[in-house]
């Protein structure tokens, strides 16, 4: 793990990276051999930047990258009594989903301080997953044809804009 951080000045932020592995060994799974756990995502990188354009206006960006989640893909199918079954060969969790990455952007405008106001507020305009990357949330396997399986990647969001007002009193 490492972290580099800048806390002073108009431009602040950090870069962090973590490398970690996690495996499991269960006698009844994968013929008792070690395999990647569902949480084995070796690379985790985050870059966070914030820039104060003025005392009241700030822009920021957050980019993250993670190794894809381990998965076991079926290699074929067979049918017994009109019920399809998947065929798995090789090691458990030997494949991975595609890598996960996204860029989030935001702009924050603080309201003017007024002596008669009993609170301080700020408007925040943000865009989650700004470049609209389709991060795999799940993979669906459906029978297709006599001995084939169709693989479809599912994702939740392309990009999500938001506006919020925060206040402190």
């Amino acid at each position: 793990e490492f972290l580099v951080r800048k806390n002073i000045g108009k431009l602040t932020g950090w870069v962090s990276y973590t490398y970690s592995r996690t495996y499991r060994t269960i006698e009844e799974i994968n013929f008792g051999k070690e395999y990647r756990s569902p949480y084995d995502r070796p690379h985790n990188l985050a870059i966070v930047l914030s820039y104060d354009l003025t005392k009241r206006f700030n822009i920021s960006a957050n980019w993250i990258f993670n190794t894809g989640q381990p998965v076991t893909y079926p290699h074929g199918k067979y049918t017994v009594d009109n019920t399809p079954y998947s065929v798995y060969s090789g090691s458990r969790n030997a494949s991975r989903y595609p890598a996960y990455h996204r860029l989030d952007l935001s702009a924050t405008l603080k309201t003017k301080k007024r002596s008669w106001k009993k609170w301080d507020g700020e408007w925040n305009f943000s865009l989650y997953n700004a470049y609209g990357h389709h991060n795999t949330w799940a993979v669906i396997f459906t029978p297709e044809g006599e001995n084939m399986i169709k693989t479809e990647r599912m994702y939740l969001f392309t990009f999500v804009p938001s506006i919020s007002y925060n206040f402190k009193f």
Side-chain angles (χ1 to χ4, degrees), residues 18-22 37-44 66-70 96-100 136:
T18 302
Y19 178 81
S20 67
R21 303 301 308 259
T22 176
S37 94
Y39 308 105
D40 181 52
R41 300 179 81 173
H43 303 286
N44 182 322
N66 291 307
T67 304
Q69 178 180 327
R96 288 192 180 276
Y97 285 177
Y100 178 97
T136 302

Side-chain angles (χ1 to χ4, degrees), residues 28 62-63 67 73 83 97 109 122 128-129 146 156 162:
E28 296 80 19
N62 175 35
W63 186 76
T67 304
Y73 290 122
T83 302
Y97 285 177
L109 176 63
E122 61 185 29
Y128 174 90
N129 194 15
E146 187 64 31
L156 293 178
S162 71

